[in-house]
């Protein structure tokens, strides 16, 4: 039986802003195939994620996990910094 930890969605993206306190903005890119023309399209969406320790910096590639609402716009939390930016 799966624990609730495994069921939550995880996304990987790049930190585009770390200017807020305990919050980062993560840009997540995904590829979709056009239903008719079959062309591969890049779609991106920005998520506000909770970063308690302030470890993630702008340009870092991070993993975020879905969580209960933390604020009006925050429903994601930082799991780990996958790769440091320059």
């Amino acid at each position: 039986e799966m624990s609730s930890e495994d069921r939550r969605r995880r996304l990987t993206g790049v930190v585009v802003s770390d200017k807020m306190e305990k919050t980062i903005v993560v840009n997540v890119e995904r590829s979709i195939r056009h239903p008719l023309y079959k062309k591969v399209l890049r779609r991106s969406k920005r998520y506000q994620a909770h970063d308690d320790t302030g470890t993630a910096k702008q340009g870092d590639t991070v993993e975020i996990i879905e969580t209960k609402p933390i604020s009006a716009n925050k429903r994601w939390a930082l799991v780990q910094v996958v790769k440091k930016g320059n």
Side-chain angles (χ1 to χ4, degrees):
E1 197 236 324
M2 276 182 140
S3 69
S4 62
E5 179 80 32
D6 306 323
R7 221 185 333 269
R8 294 192 289 175
R9 291 196 297 157
R10 285 169 181 259
L11 294 173
T12 307
V14 178
V15 179
V16 289
S17 169
D18 61 351
K19 287 184 168 68
M20 291 174 280
E21 276 187 39
K22 298 190 178 187
T23 304
I24 54 174
V25 181
V26 182
N27 192 53
V28 176
E29 265 197 3
R30 62 190 182 91
S31 297
I32 60 157
R33 190 170 281 277
H34 192 283
L36 179 60
Y37 301 119
K38 308 304 181 206
K39 180 182 166 73
V40 175
L41 306 167
R42 281 163 53 191
R43 289 283 173 260
S44 65
K45 188 173 175 180
R46 293 168 66 178
Y47 295 92
Q48 287 191 9
H50 187 64
D51 178 11
D52 223 346
T53 51
T55 43
K57 293 279 168 266
Q58 192 168 340
D60 291 357
T61 302
V62 295
E63 188 182 7
I64 56 175
I65 194 166
E66 202 169 23
T67 183
K68 66 179 185 183
I70 298 160
S71 75
N73 312 328
K74 272 203 289 187
R75 273 109 183 95
W76 294 82
L78 176 70
V79 178
Q80 60 173 347
V81 176
V82 180
K83 182 167 148 279
K84 280 280 178 201
N86 345 359

